[in-house]
Amino acid sequence: MFALVAALLFLLALIFEIANVAVGGVITVATLGTAGLLCVALHLMGVGAGWSPMKK
């Protein structure tokens, strides 16, 4: 799930960079890139994978 979110954030960052768009002073290309990298890191850590140990 986090990989999909990261891909969407990177896509938005690319579109904003190409169109030279900034949404206010908070959401910039750098902010979207950093959020995307955070989601990739969480995905690689296994967060949100839906795995749980078997219970007996």
Side-chain angles (χ1 to χ4, degrees), residues 33-53:
T34 303
L37 289 174
L38 174 66
C39 289
V40 168
L42 290 172
H43 172 73
L44 291 175
M45 281 179 26
V47 175
W51 181 84
S52 63

Side-chain angles (χ1 to χ4, degrees), residues 3-4 6 9 12 14 17-18 20 23 25 27-28 30-32 36-37 40 43 46-48 50 52 56:
L4 178 64
L9 288 171
L12 281 175
L14 178 65
E17 181 69 28
I18 290 172
N20 199 16
V23 181
I27 300 176
T28 62
T31 306
L32 291 172
L37 289 174
V40 168
H43 172 73
V47 175
S52 63
K56 291 184 178 182

